[in-house]
């Protein structure tokens, strides 16, 4: 009888200890306040400040612009979470990071979902149906800003490359002038009106000098 009670008591003690530990661990983690994944949301704060302004109230155009800027910031956060989540999950499985960073990411993801729904609701309050297109519009505006930034930094990158490799880049005017010189060099010579032109049937047109000689022969 004692040989049966010993393993049963051992199993009860082990599983009971695991249950107590998991209970207190979940209670501790649920009460723990994680550091926010994103520090702040200035675009949202600016929109709320303009919305609460009453003397004088903000115009609808200004509020719409602030709401679009808020949507653009949300798009950037969505892209960052999509990029960081797989990497953090891989690091968490390897034990390279703690649970606090992962839980902070999950909390930021839930907060961002609520933020997106709020932006859609605010957009529909201005124009019905605008909430369905505000985020695609914000995505296009972000792409345009990236292209404009690349265009503005073209001169700086050009000077950097010239100083690095010691080669001066050719300008557009130089390329155009060189193309015009090549075109002029390959152009066929002009045919004057006094020269004879062979027709399609093999006969040549007679010029004025030939006509005079024929008259003298007659």
């Amino acid at each position: 009888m004692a040989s049966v009670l010993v393993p049963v008591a051992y199993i009860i003690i082990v599983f009971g200890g695991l249950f107590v530990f998991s209970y207190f661990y979940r209670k501790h983690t649920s009460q723990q306040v994680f550091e926010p994944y994103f520090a702040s949301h200035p675009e949202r704060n600016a929109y709320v400040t303009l919305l609460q302004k009453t003397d004088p109230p903000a115009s609808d155009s200004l509020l719409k612009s602030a709401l679009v800027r808020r949507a653009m910031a949300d798009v950037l956060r969505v892209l960052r979470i999509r990029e960081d989540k797989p990497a953090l999950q891989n690091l968490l499985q390897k034990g390279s990071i703690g649970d606090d960073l992962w839980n902070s990411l999950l909390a930021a993801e839930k907060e961002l979902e609520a933020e997106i729904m709020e932006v859609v609701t605010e957009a529909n309050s201005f124009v019905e149906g605008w909430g369905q297109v505000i985020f695609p519009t914000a995505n296009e505006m972000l792409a345009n800003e990236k292209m404009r930034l690349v265009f503005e930094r073209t001169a700086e990158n050009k000077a950097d490359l010239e100083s690095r490799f010691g080669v001066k880049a050719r300008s557009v005017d130089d390329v155009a002038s060189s193309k015009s010189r090549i075109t002029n060099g390959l152009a066929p010579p002009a045919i004057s009106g006094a020269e004879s032109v062979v027709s399609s049937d093999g006969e040549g047109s007679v010029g004025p000098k030939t006509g005079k000689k024929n008259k003298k022969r007659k």
Side-chain angles (χ1 to χ4, degrees), residues 73-138:
D74 292 337
V75 170
L76 291 176
R77 294 192 174 199
V78 169
L79 295 177
R80 181 178 173 184
I81 287 179
R82 287 181 181 177
E83 292 177 357
D84 295 351
K85 190 173 182 179
L88 291 179
Q89 188 174 7
N90 190 16
L91 293 175
L92 182 65
Q93 293 175 355
K94 293 180 180 179
S96 301
I97 60 174
D99 294 336
D100 52 351
L101 183 58
W102 177 252
N103 292 327
S104 177
L105 176 65
L106 296 180
E109 190 175 12
K110 292 181 179 179
E111 182 181 355
L112 188 58
E113 291 177 359
E115 165 70 13
I116 290 173
M117 295 300 298
E118 185 177 352
V119 170
V120 171
T121 304
E122 291 290 333
N124 289 329
S125 65
F126 287 104
V127 179
E128 186 64 29
W130 188 29
Q132 299 178 359
V133 297
I134 186 171
F135 283 102
T137 303

Short mmCIF file of all heavy atoms in Angstrom, two decimals, residues 73-138:
data_model
loop_
_atom_site.label_atom_id
_atom_site.label_comp_id
_atom_site.label_asym_id
_atom_site.label_seq_id
_atom_site.Cartn_x
_atom_site.Cartn_y
_atom_site.Cartn_z
N ALA A 73 0.71 58.34 -40.22
CA ALA A 73 1.50 57.82 -39.10
C ALA A 73 1.07 56.41 -38.73
O ALA A 73 1.91 55.55 -38.40
CB ALA A 73 1.37 58.75 -37.90
N ASP A 74 -0.23 56.13 -38.81
CA ASP A 74 -0.71 54.78 -38.52
C ASP A 74 -0.21 53.78 -39.55
O ASP A 74 0.10 52.63 -39.22
CB ASP A 74 -2.24 54.77 -38.47
CG ASP A 74 -2.77 55.56 -37.28
OD1 ASP A 74 -2.02 55.73 -36.30
OD2 ASP A 74 -3.93 56.01 -37.33
N VAL A 75 -0.15 54.19 -40.81
CA VAL A 75 0.36 53.29 -41.86
C VAL A 75 1.82 52.94 -41.59
O VAL A 75 2.24 51.78 -41.74
CB VAL A 75 0.18 53.94 -43.24
CG1 VAL A 75 0.92 53.15 -44.31
CG2 VAL A 75 -1.29 54.03 -43.61
N LEU A 76 2.60 53.92 -41.19
CA LEU A 76 4.01 53.65 -40.86
C LEU A 76 4.13 52.68 -39.69
O LEU A 76 5.01 51.80 -39.68
CB LEU A 76 4.72 54.97 -40.54
CG LEU A 76 4.94 55.93 -41.71
CD1 LEU A 76 5.58 57.23 -41.22
CD2 LEU A 76 5.81 55.29 -42.78
N ARG A 77 3.24 52.81 -38.72
CA ARG A 77 3.29 51.90 -37.57
C ARG A 77 2.88 50.49 -37.96
O ARG A 77 3.45 49.50 -37.46
CB ARG A 77 2.39 52.44 -36.46
CG ARG A 77 2.88 53.75 -35.88
CD ARG A 77 2.17 54.14 -34.61
NE ARG A 77 2.76 55.32 -34.01
CZ ARG A 77 2.60 55.69 -32.75
NH1 ARG A 77 1.84 54.97 -31.95
NH2 ARG A 77 3.18 56.78 -32.28
N VAL A 78 1.91 50.39 -38.84
CA VAL A 78 1.50 49.06 -39.32
C VAL A 78 2.65 48.37 -40.05
O VAL A 78 2.93 47.18 -39.84
CB VAL A 78 0.26 49.18 -40.22
CG1 VAL A 78 -0.02 47.87 -40.94
CG2 VAL A 78 -0.96 49.58 -39.41
N LEU A 79 3.34 49.13 -40.89
CA LEU A 79 4.47 48.56 -41.63
C LEU A 79 5.60 48.14 -40.68
O LEU A 79 6.23 47.09 -40.88
CB LEU A 79 4.99 49.58 -42.64
CG LEU A 79 4.03 49.95 -43.78
CD1 LEU A 79 4.64 51.02 -44.66
CD2 LEU A 79 3.68 48.72 -44.61
N ARG A 80 5.82 48.92 -39.65
CA ARG A 80 6.88 48.58 -38.71
C ARG A 80 6.53 47.32 -37.91
O ARG A 80 7.39 46.46 -37.69
CB ARG A 80 7.13 49.74 -37.75
CG ARG A 80 8.25 49.46 -36.76
CD ARG A 80 8.54 50.62 -35.86
NE ARG A 80 9.50 50.27 -34.84
CZ ARG A 80 9.88 51.08 -33.86
NH1 ARG A 80 9.37 52.31 -33.79
NH2 ARG A 80 10.75 50.68 -32.96
N ILE A 81 5.28 47.20 -37.50
CA ILE A 81 4.87 46.00 -36.75
C ILE A 81 4.97 44.77 -37.64
O ILE A 81 5.40 43.69 -37.20
CB ILE A 81 3.45 46.18 -36.19
CG1 ILE A 81 3.48 47.18 -35.03
CG2 ILE A 81 2.87 44.86 -35.72
CD1 ILE A 81 2.13 47.44 -34.41
N ARG A 82 4.59 44.91 -38.91
CA ARG A 82 4.71 43.77 -39.83
C ARG A 82 6.16 43.34 -40.02
O ARG A 82 6.44 42.16 -40.21
CB ARG A 82 4.10 44.14 -41.18
CG ARG A 82 2.58 44.21 -41.18
CD ARG A 82 2.06 44.57 -42.55
NE ARG A 82 0.60 44.66 -42.58
CZ ARG A 82 -0.10 45.01 -43.65
NH1 ARG A 82 0.53 45.30 -44.79
NH2 ARG A 82 -1.42 45.07 -43.59
N GLU A 83 7.07 44.29 -39.99
CA GLU A 83 8.48 43.95 -40.15
C GLU A 83 9.09 43.39 -38.86
O GLU A 83 9.92 42.48 -38.90
CB GLU A 83 9.27 45.19 -40.59
CG GLU A 83 8.92 45.67 -41.99
CD GLU A 83 9.67 46.94 -42.36
OE1 GLU A 83 10.41 47.45 -41.49
OE2 GLU A 83 9.52 47.41 -43.50
N ASP A 84 8.68 43.93 -37.71
CA ASP A 84 9.31 43.55 -36.44
C ASP A 84 8.73 42.27 -35.85
O ASP A 84 9.44 41.55 -35.14
CB ASP A 84 9.16 44.68 -35.42
CG ASP A 84 9.92 45.93 -35.83
OD1 ASP A 84 10.69 45.85 -36.81
OD2 ASP A 84 9.74 46.98 -35.19
N LYS A 85 7.48 41.98 -36.11
CA LYS A 85 6.83 40.85 -35.44
C LYS A 85 7.48 39.51 -35.76
O LYS A 85 7.76 38.72 -34.84
CB LYS A 85 5.34 40.84 -35.78
CG LYS A 85 4.54 39.85 -34.93
CD LYS A 85 3.05 39.98 -35.18
CE LYS A 85 2.27 39.03 -34.29
NZ LYS A 85 0.80 39.16 -34.50
N PRO A 86 7.73 39.17 -37.03
CA PRO A 86 8.39 37.87 -37.28
C PRO A 86 9.78 37.77 -36.66
O PRO A 86 10.16 36.71 -36.14
CB PRO A 86 8.45 37.79 -38.81
CG PRO A 86 7.40 38.73 -39.29
CD PRO A 86 7.37 39.83 -38.30
N ALA A 87 10.53 38.87 -36.71
CA ALA A 87 11.89 38.83 -36.15
C ALA A 87 11.84 38.67 -34.63
O ALA A 87 12.60 37.88 -34.05
CB ALA A 87 12.63 40.11 -36.52
N LEU A 88 10.94 39.40 -33.97
CA LEU A 88 10.84 39.27 -32.51
C LEU A 88 10.32 37.90 -32.10
O LEU A 88 10.75 37.35 -31.08
CB LEU A 88 9.91 40.37 -31.96
CG LEU A 88 10.45 41.80 -32.03
CD1 LEU A 88 9.43 42.78 -31.49
CD2 LEU A 88 11.76 41.92 -31.26
N GLN A 89 9.43 37.34 -32.89
CA GLN A 89 8.93 36.00 -32.58
C GLN A 89 10.05 34.96 -32.70
O GLN A 89 10.15 34.04 -31.87
CB GLN A 89 7.79 35.65 -33.52
CG GLN A 89 7.07 34.35 -33.17
CD GLN A 89 5.86 34.12 -34.05
OE1 GLN A 89 5.63 34.86 -35.01
NE2 GLN A 89 5.09 33.10 -33.74
N ASN A 90 10.89 35.13 -33.69
CA ASN A 90 12.03 34.21 -33.84
C ASN A 90 13.02 34.36 -32.69
O ASN A 90 13.53 33.37 -32.15
CB ASN A 90 12.72 34.49 -35.18
CG ASN A 90 13.76 33.45 -35.53
OD1 ASN A 90 13.79 32.37 -34.94
ND2 ASN A 90 14.61 33.76 -36.48
N LEU A 91 13.28 35.61 -32.29
CA LEU A 91 14.19 35.83 -31.16
C LEU A 91 13.60 35.33 -29.85
O LEU A 91 14.33 34.84 -28.98
CB LEU A 91 14.51 37.32 -31.05
CG LEU A 91 15.34 37.93 -32.20
CD1 LEU A 91 15.47 39.43 -32.02
CD2 LEU A 91 16.72 37.29 -32.26
N LEU A 92 12.28 35.44 -29.71
CA LEU A 92 11.63 34.94 -28.49
C LEU A 92 11.73 33.42 -28.40
O LEU A 92 11.94 32.87 -27.31
CB LEU A 92 10.17 35.39 -28.47
CG LEU A 92 9.35 34.98 -27.24
CD1 LEU A 92 9.90 35.66 -26.00
CD2 LEU A 92 7.88 35.33 -27.44
N GLN A 93 11.58 32.75 -29.52
CA GLN A 93 11.70 31.29 -29.51
C GLN A 93 13.12 30.84 -29.19
O GLN A 93 13.32 29.79 -28.56
CB GLN A 93 11.27 30.73 -30.87
CG GLN A 93 9.78 30.90 -31.16
CD GLN A 93 9.41 30.45 -32.55
OE1 GLN A 93 10.27 30.07 -33.35
NE2 GLN A 93 8.12 30.48 -32.86
N LYS A 94 14.10 31.64 -29.60
CA LYS A 94 15.49 31.30 -29.29
C LYS A 94 15.89 31.72 -27.88
O LYS A 94 16.98 31.36 -27.41
CB LYS A 94 16.42 31.98 -30.30
CG LYS A 94 16.28 31.44 -31.71
CD LYS A 94 17.24 32.15 -32.65
CE LYS A 94 17.13 31.62 -34.07
NZ LYS A 94 18.05 32.32 -35.01
N GLY A 95 15.05 32.51 -27.22
CA GLY A 95 15.37 32.97 -25.88
C GLY A 95 16.27 34.18 -25.84
O GLY A 95 16.85 34.50 -24.80
N SER A 96 16.39 34.89 -26.98
CA SER A 96 17.27 36.06 -27.02
C SER A 96 16.63 37.29 -26.39
O SER A 96 17.34 38.22 -26.00
CB SER A 96 17.66 36.36 -28.47
OG SER A 96 18.32 35.25 -29.05
N ILE A 97 15.31 37.35 -26.34
CA ILE A 97 14.60 38.48 -25.74
C ILE A 97 13.63 37.94 -24.70
O ILE A 97 13.29 36.75 -24.68
CB ILE A 97 13.85 39.31 -26.80
CG1 ILE A 97 12.81 38.45 -27.51
CG2 ILE A 97 14.81 39.93 -27.78
CD1 ILE A 97 11.92 39.23 -28.46
N GLY A 98 13.17 38.84 -23.84
CA GLY A 98 12.22 38.46 -22.81
C GLY A 98 10.78 38.60 -23.26
O GLY A 98 10.48 39.10 -24.36
N ASP A 99 9.89 38.17 -22.38
CA ASP A 99 8.47 38.26 -22.71
C ASP A 99 7.95 39.68 -22.66
O ASP A 99 6.90 39.98 -23.25
CB ASP A 99 7.66 37.39 -21.73
CG ASP A 99 7.97 35.91 -21.88
OD1 ASP A 99 8.42 35.52 -22.97
OD2 ASP A 99 7.77 35.16 -20.90
N ASP A 100 8.65 40.57 -21.97
CA ASP A 100 8.14 41.93 -21.83
C ASP A 100 8.12 42.66 -23.18
O ASP A 100 7.15 43.36 -23.50
CB ASP A 100 8.99 42.71 -20.82
CG ASP A 100 10.48 42.63 -21.14
OD1 ASP A 100 10.85 41.83 -22.02
OD2 ASP A 100 11.27 43.36 -20.50
N LEU A 101 9.16 42.47 -23.99
CA LEU A 101 9.19 43.12 -25.30
C LEU A 101 8.12 42.54 -26.23
O LEU A 101 7.45 43.27 -26.98
CB LEU A 101 10.57 42.97 -25.92
CG LEU A 101 10.79 43.66 -27.27
CD1 LEU A 101 10.52 45.15 -27.17
CD2 LEU A 101 12.21 43.41 -27.78
N TRP A 102 7.94 41.24 -26.18
CA TRP A 102 6.93 40.60 -27.02
C TRP A 102 5.52 41.04 -26.61
O TRP A 102 4.68 41.34 -27.46
CB TRP A 102 7.07 39.09 -26.93
CG TRP A 102 6.03 38.33 -27.68
CD1 TRP A 102 4.99 37.63 -27.17
CD2 TRP A 102 5.92 38.22 -29.10
NE1 TRP A 102 4.23 37.07 -28.16
CE2 TRP A 102 4.78 37.41 -29.37
CE3 TRP A 102 6.66 38.70 -30.17
CZ2 TRP A 102 4.38 37.09 -30.66
CZ3 TRP A 102 6.26 38.38 -31.46
CH2 TRP A 102 5.13 37.59 -31.70
N ASN A 103 5.27 41.09 -25.31
CA ASN A 103 3.96 41.55 -24.83
C ASN A 103 3.74 43.03 -25.15
O ASN A 103 2.60 43.44 -25.42
CB ASN A 103 3.85 41.32 -23.32
CG ASN A 103 3.80 39.85 -22.97
OD1 ASN A 103 3.28 39.03 -23.73
ND2 ASN A 103 4.37 39.49 -21.82
N SER A 104 4.80 43.80 -25.15
CA SER A 104 4.68 45.20 -25.53
C SER A 104 4.29 45.33 -27.00
O SER A 104 3.47 46.19 -27.37
CB SER A 104 6.00 45.93 -25.27
OG SER A 104 5.93 47.27 -25.69
N LEU A 105 4.86 44.47 -27.84
CA LEU A 105 4.49 44.48 -29.26
C LEU A 105 3.03 44.08 -29.46
O LEU A 105 2.30 44.70 -30.25
CB LEU A 105 5.41 43.54 -30.03
CG LEU A 105 5.10 43.37 -31.53
CD1 LEU A 105 5.32 44.67 -32.27
CD2 LEU A 105 5.95 42.26 -32.13
N LEU A 106 2.58 43.06 -28.75
CA LEU A 106 1.18 42.64 -28.87
C LEU A 106 0.23 43.73 -28.39
O LEU A 106 -0.83 43.96 -28.99
CB LEU A 106 0.97 41.35 -28.07
CG LEU A 106 1.74 40.11 -28.56
CD1 LEU A 106 1.44 38.92 -27.67
CD2 LEU A 106 1.41 39.80 -30.01
N ALA A 107 0.61 44.41 -27.30
CA ALA A 107 -0.24 45.51 -26.82
C ALA A 107 -0.29 46.65 -27.82
O ALA A 107 -1.35 47.26 -28.04
CB ALA A 107 0.30 46.00 -25.47
N ALA A 108 0.84 46.94 -28.46
CA ALA A 108 0.86 48.00 -29.48
C ALA A 108 0.03 47.60 -30.69
O ALA A 108 -0.63 48.45 -31.31
CB ALA A 108 2.30 48.28 -29.90
N GLU A 109 0.02 46.32 -31.02
CA GLU A 109 -0.79 45.86 -32.15
C GLU A 109 -2.28 46.02 -31.87
O GLU A 109 -3.04 46.47 -32.73
CB GLU A 109 -0.45 44.40 -32.45
CG GLU A 109 -1.04 43.87 -33.74
CD GLU A 109 -0.59 42.46 -34.03
OE1 GLU A 109 0.01 41.82 -33.13
OE2 GLU A 109 -0.82 41.98 -35.16
N LYS A 110 -2.70 45.67 -30.66
CA LYS A 110 -4.11 45.85 -30.30
C LYS A 110 -4.49 47.33 -30.26
O LYS A 110 -5.57 47.73 -30.70
CB LYS A 110 -4.38 45.19 -28.95
CG LYS A 110 -4.29 43.67 -28.97
CD LYS A 110 -4.60 43.09 -27.61
CE LYS A 110 -4.52 41.57 -27.63
NZ LYS A 110 -4.80 40.97 -26.29
N GLU A 111 -3.59 48.14 -29.72
CA GLU A 111 -3.86 49.58 -29.67
C GLU A 111 -3.95 50.17 -31.07
O GLU A 111 -4.77 51.06 -31.34
CB GLU A 111 -2.75 50.27 -28.88
CG GLU A 111 -2.96 51.77 -28.72
CD GLU A 111 -1.83 52.43 -27.96
OE1 GLU A 111 -0.93 51.69 -27.48
OE2 GLU A 111 -1.83 53.67 -27.85
N LEU A 112 -3.14 49.66 -31.98
CA LEU A 112 -3.16 50.16 -33.35
C LEU A 112 -4.45 49.76 -34.06
O LEU A 112 -4.98 50.53 -34.88
CB LEU A 112 -1.95 49.63 -34.12
CG LEU A 112 -1.72 50.20 -35.52
CD1 LEU A 112 -1.57 51.71 -35.46
CD2 LEU A 112 -0.47 49.58 -36.14
N GLU A 113 -4.97 48.59 -33.78
CA GLU A 113 -6.26 48.19 -34.35
C GLU A 113 -7.38 49.14 -33.91
O GLU A 113 -8.21 49.56 -34.72
CB GLU A 113 -6.58 46.75 -33.95
CG GLU A 113 -5.67 45.71 -34.58
CD GLU A 113 -5.99 44.31 -34.09
OE1 GLU A 113 -6.90 44.18 -33.24
OE2 GLU A 113 -5.34 43.35 -34.55
N ALA A 114 -7.38 49.48 -32.62
CA ALA A 114 -8.38 50.43 -32.13
C ALA A 114 -8.17 51.81 -32.74
O ALA A 114 -9.14 52.53 -33.05
CB ALA A 114 -8.31 50.50 -30.60
N GLU A 115 -6.91 52.19 -32.95
CA GLU A 115 -6.60 53.49 -33.56
C GLU A 115 -7.11 53.55 -35.00
O GLU A 115 -7.67 54.57 -35.43
CB GLU A 115 -5.09 53.71 -33.50
CG GLU A 115 -4.56 54.82 -34.39
CD GLU A 115 -4.95 56.20 -33.91
OE1 GLU A 115 -5.44 56.34 -32.77
OE2 GLU A 115 -4.79 57.15 -34.70
N ILE A 116 -6.95 52.48 -35.74
CA ILE A 116 -7.41 52.45 -37.13
C ILE A 116 -8.93 52.57 -37.19
O ILE A 116 -9.48 53.31 -38.02
CB ILE A 116 -6.92 51.17 -37.81
CG1 ILE A 116 -5.40 51.23 -38.01
CG2 ILE A 116 -7.61 50.97 -39.16
CD1 ILE A 116 -4.80 49.95 -38.53
N MET A 117 -9.62 51.86 -36.31
CA MET A 117 -11.08 51.96 -36.29
C MET A 117 -11.53 53.38 -35.92
O MET A 117 -12.51 53.90 -36.48
CB MET A 117 -11.64 50.95 -35.29
CG MET A 117 -11.40 49.50 -35.68
SD MET A 117 -12.16 49.07 -37.26
CE MET A 117 -13.88 49.36 -36.90
N GLU A 118 -10.81 54.02 -35.04
CA GLU A 118 -11.16 55.39 -34.66
C GLU A 118 -10.94 56.36 -35.81
O GLU A 118 -11.76 57.27 -36.05
CB GLU A 118 -10.34 55.82 -33.44
CG GLU A 118 -10.71 57.18 -32.89
CD GLU A 118 -9.92 57.55 -31.65
OE1 GLU A 118 -9.19 56.67 -31.13
OE2 GLU A 118 -10.02 58.71 -31.21
N VAL A 119 -9.86 56.17 -36.55
CA VAL A 119 -9.60 57.04 -37.71
C VAL A 119 -10.67 56.85 -38.77
O VAL A 119 -11.14 57.82 -39.39
CB VAL A 119 -8.19 56.75 -38.27
CG1 VAL A 119 -7.99 57.46 -39.61
CG2 VAL A 119 -7.12 57.21 -37.30
N VAL A 120 -11.08 55.61 -39.00
CA VAL A 120 -12.13 55.35 -39.98
C VAL A 120 -13.44 56.01 -39.56
O VAL A 120 -14.15 56.62 -40.38
CB VAL A 120 -12.31 53.83 -40.17
CG1 VAL A 120 -13.55 53.53 -41.01
CG2 VAL A 120 -11.08 53.23 -40.82
N THR A 121 -13.76 55.94 -38.27
CA THR A 121 -14.98 56.57 -37.78
C THR A 121 -14.93 58.09 -37.93
O THR A 121 -15.91 58.73 -38.34
CB THR A 121 -15.20 56.20 -36.30
OG1 THR A 121 -15.23 54.77 -36.18
CG2 THR A 121 -16.50 56.77 -35.78
N GLU A 122 -13.78 58.67 -37.61
CA GLU A 122 -13.63 60.12 -37.75
C GLU A 122 -13.72 60.54 -39.22
O GLU A 122 -14.31 61.58 -39.53
CB GLU A 122 -12.28 60.56 -37.16
CG GLU A 122 -12.18 60.44 -35.66
CD GLU A 122 -13.05 61.45 -34.93
OE1 GLU A 122 -13.31 62.53 -35.51
OE2 GLU A 122 -13.47 61.17 -33.80
N ALA A 123 -13.16 59.75 -40.12
CA ALA A 123 -13.23 60.09 -41.54
C ALA A 123 -14.66 60.02 -42.05
O ALA A 123 -15.10 60.88 -42.83
CB ALA A 123 -12.33 59.15 -42.34
N ASN A 124 -15.40 59.03 -41.62
CA ASN A 124 -16.81 58.93 -42.04
C ASN A 124 -17.67 60.04 -41.45
O ASN A 124 -18.72 60.37 -42.01
CB ASN A 124 -17.38 57.57 -41.64
CG ASN A 124 -16.80 56.44 -42.46
OD1 ASN A 124 -16.46 56.62 -43.63
ND2 ASN A 124 -16.67 55.27 -41.87
N SER A 125 -17.23 60.62 -40.33
CA SER A 125 -17.99 61.74 -39.77
C SER A 125 -17.87 63.00 -40.63
O SER A 125 -18.77 63.85 -40.62
CB SER A 125 -17.50 62.04 -38.35
OG SER A 125 -16.15 62.49 -38.37
N PHE A 126 -16.78 63.12 -41.38
CA PHE A 126 -16.64 64.26 -42.29
C PHE A 126 -17.38 63.99 -43.61
O PHE A 126 -18.21 64.80 -44.03
CB PHE A 126 -15.16 64.53 -42.58
CG PHE A 126 -14.42 65.14 -41.43
CD1 PHE A 126 -13.55 64.37 -40.66
CD2 PHE A 126 -14.58 66.47 -41.11
CE1 PHE A 126 -12.86 64.93 -39.59
CE2 PHE A 126 -13.90 67.05 -40.05
CZ PHE A 126 -13.04 66.27 -39.28
N VAL A 127 -17.03 62.90 -44.26
CA VAL A 127 -17.66 62.53 -45.53
C VAL A 127 -17.99 61.04 -45.46
O VAL A 127 -17.13 60.23 -45.11
CB VAL A 127 -16.73 62.82 -46.73
CG1 VAL A 127 -17.39 62.40 -48.03
CG2 VAL A 127 -16.35 64.29 -46.78
N GLU A 128 -19.20 60.70 -45.79
CA GLU A 128 -19.62 59.31 -45.74
C GLU A 128 -18.85 58.49 -46.79
O GLU A 128 -18.83 58.82 -47.97
CB GLU A 128 -21.12 59.20 -45.99
CG GLU A 128 -21.68 57.81 -45.81
CD GLU A 128 -21.56 57.31 -44.39
OE1 GLU A 128 -21.58 58.16 -43.46
OE2 GLU A 128 -21.44 56.09 -44.20
N GLY A 129 -18.21 57.42 -46.32
CA GLY A 129 -17.43 56.57 -47.21
C GLY A 129 -15.96 56.94 -47.30
O GLY A 129 -15.19 56.22 -47.95
N TRP A 130 -15.57 58.05 -46.67
CA TRP A 130 -14.16 58.44 -46.72
C TRP A 130 -13.28 57.49 -45.92
O TRP A 130 -12.10 57.32 -46.21
CB TRP A 130 -14.00 59.87 -46.21
CG TRP A 130 -12.63 60.44 -46.41
CD1 TRP A 130 -11.75 60.11 -47.40
CD2 TRP A 130 -11.96 61.41 -45.59
NE1 TRP A 130 -10.58 60.82 -47.27
CE2 TRP A 130 -10.69 61.63 -46.16
CE3 TRP A 130 -12.33 62.12 -44.45
CZ2 TRP A 130 -9.78 62.53 -45.61
CZ3 TRP A 130 -11.43 63.02 -43.91
CH2 TRP A 130 -10.17 63.22 -44.49
N GLY A 131 -13.86 56.85 -44.91
CA GLY A 131 -13.07 55.93 -44.10
C GLY A 131 -12.54 54.74 -44.87
O GLY A 131 -11.54 54.13 -44.48
N GLN A 132 -13.19 54.39 -45.98
CA GLN A 132 -12.73 53.25 -46.77
C GLN A 132 -11.53 53.58 -47.64
O GLN A 132 -10.83 52.66 -48.08
CB GLN A 132 -13.88 52.74 -47.64
CG GLN A 132 -15.10 52.27 -46.86
CD GLN A 132 -16.23 51.83 -47.75
OE1 GLN A 132 -16.12 51.90 -48.98
NE2 GLN A 132 -17.33 51.39 -47.16
N VAL A 133 -11.30 54.85 -47.90
CA VAL A 133 -10.22 55.24 -48.81
C VAL A 133 -9.15 56.09 -48.14
O VAL A 133 -8.16 56.45 -48.80
CB VAL A 133 -10.79 56.00 -50.03
CG1 VAL A 133 -11.71 55.12 -50.83
CG2 VAL A 133 -11.51 57.27 -49.59
N ILE A 134 -9.31 56.41 -46.87
CA ILE A 134 -8.35 57.31 -46.24
C ILE A 134 -6.98 56.64 -46.08
O ILE A 134 -5.94 57.27 -46.28
CB ILE A 134 -8.88 57.83 -44.89
CG1 ILE A 134 -7.92 58.88 -44.32
CG2 ILE A 134 -9.13 56.70 -43.91
CD1 ILE A 134 -8.46 59.59 -43.10
N PHE A 135 -6.97 55.35 -45.76
CA PHE A 135 -5.67 54.69 -45.58
C PHE A 135 -4.97 54.40 -46.92
O PHE A 135 -3.75 54.55 -47.00
CB PHE A 135 -5.85 53.41 -44.76
CG PHE A 135 -6.02 53.68 -43.29
CD1 PHE A 135 -7.26 53.64 -42.69
CD2 PHE A 135 -4.93 54.01 -42.51
CE1 PHE A 135 -7.42 53.91 -41.35
CE2 PHE A 135 -5.07 54.28 -41.15
CZ PHE A 135 -6.32 54.22 -40.57
N PRO A 136 -5.68 53.99 -47.99
CA PRO A 136 -5.00 53.94 -49.29
C PRO A 136 -4.46 55.29 -49.73
O PRO A 136 -3.37 55.37 -50.31
CB PRO A 136 -6.09 53.42 -50.23
CG PRO A 136 -6.99 52.62 -49.36
CD PRO A 136 -7.01 53.35 -48.06
N THR A 137 -5.21 56.36 -49.45
CA THR A 137 -4.72 57.70 -49.78
C THR A 137 -3.47 58.04 -48.98
O THR A 137 -2.51 58.60 -49.51
CB THR A 137 -5.82 58.73 -49.50
OG1 THR A 137 -6.99 58.39 -50.25
CG2 THR A 137 -5.36 60.12 -49.90
N ALA A 138 -3.48 57.69 -47.69
CA ALA A 138 -2.30 57.95 -46.86
C ALA A 138 -1.10 57.15 -47.34
O ALA A 138 0.04 57.65 -47.34
CB ALA A 138 -2.62 57.60 -45.41
#
